[in-house]
Amino acid sequence: MMSRVLVRFLRTGLGRSLLAPALRFRVQKWVVRSALWGDRAPLRIAILSDLHWGMAPMNPTKVEAIKRRVQALGADMIVFLGDLPGARRDALQTVRIAPGAEALAGLNAPLGVYAILGNHDWHGDPDAQQRQAPPVVAARHLEGAGFTVLQNS
């Protein structure tokens, strides 16, 4: 009975925005083999994406838990695949960029910590949108948090 109630709630707009993202946080492991890599030791890459800082249920406590879990993986490299601010297209989205990047600060890996900008990172910067070119505010804040931001490089 309780599971049916939960499934019905998750199908509502409120359920999709509040609870469903919290249930989706998981660690997925893939093993990719390539003849190009040869006999070298495996490369372990931890990938994070879609933080959507400022949107429920993301908060500092959750980000700290995510960071602890990522660090515990012992990855050689960490990559953030973008979408630092929430999904809104307004002034509130812009103010979420700095605290979202600060929340990710402290991640480290032997081969580095990298970021690639997502569509919400671009939408969060009206000047970059108008220019249709970098620099993007999210990139500056991610760099300040210790990430190397890759933009067409």
Side-chain angles (χ1 to χ4, degrees):
M1 175 66 179
M2 183 59 151
S3 62
R4 278 188 247 151
V5 171
L6 179 60
V7 168
R8 273 186 281 174
F9 176 70
L10 290 174
R11 288 182 179 156
T12 68
L14 184 62
R16 282 193 309 273
S17 66
L18 293 179
L19 188 56
L23 298 175
R24 286 194 303 253
F25 175 67
R26 67 190 178 283
V27 173
Q28 177 71 45
K29 295 182 181 184
W30 289 285
V31 175
V32 179
R33 301 193 192 289
S34 170
L36 297 174
W37 193 252
D39 293 335
R40 289 179 261 183
L43 179 64
R44 296 171 50 124
I45 303 171
I47 299 172
L48 298 162
S49 72
D50 298 275
L51 182 65
H52 294 292
W53 183 263
M55 302 295 285
M58 196 54 64
N59 59 51
T61 303
K62 186 167 183 84
V63 174
E64 281 304 317
I66 291 168
K67 286 170 40 177
R68 280 192 306 273
R69 196 157 178 196
V70 168
Q71 286 298 157
L73 294 172
D76 300 308
M77 177 188 303
I78 298 172
V79 181
F80 176 64
L81 297 181
D83 287 354
L84 183 61
R88 297 173 59 159
R89 288 187 178 183
D90 59 18
L92 281 177
Q93 182 179 9
T94 305
V95 301
R96 291 181 175 132
I97 293 172
E102 290 167 13
L104 288 175
L107 286 170
N108 60 68
L111 297 179
V113 180
Y114 300 88
I116 299 165
L117 301 178
N119 61 316
H120 292 282
D121 303 314
W122 279 89
H123 292 310
D125 187 338
D127 293 334
Q129 282 286 303
Q130 186 174 12
R131 288 189 312 273
Q132 295 190 2
V136 177
V137 170
R140 182 173 42 104
H141 289 290
L142 285 164
E143 287 168 348
F147 288 80
T148 299
V149 178
L150 304 175
Q151 296 185 77
N152 296 325
S153 60

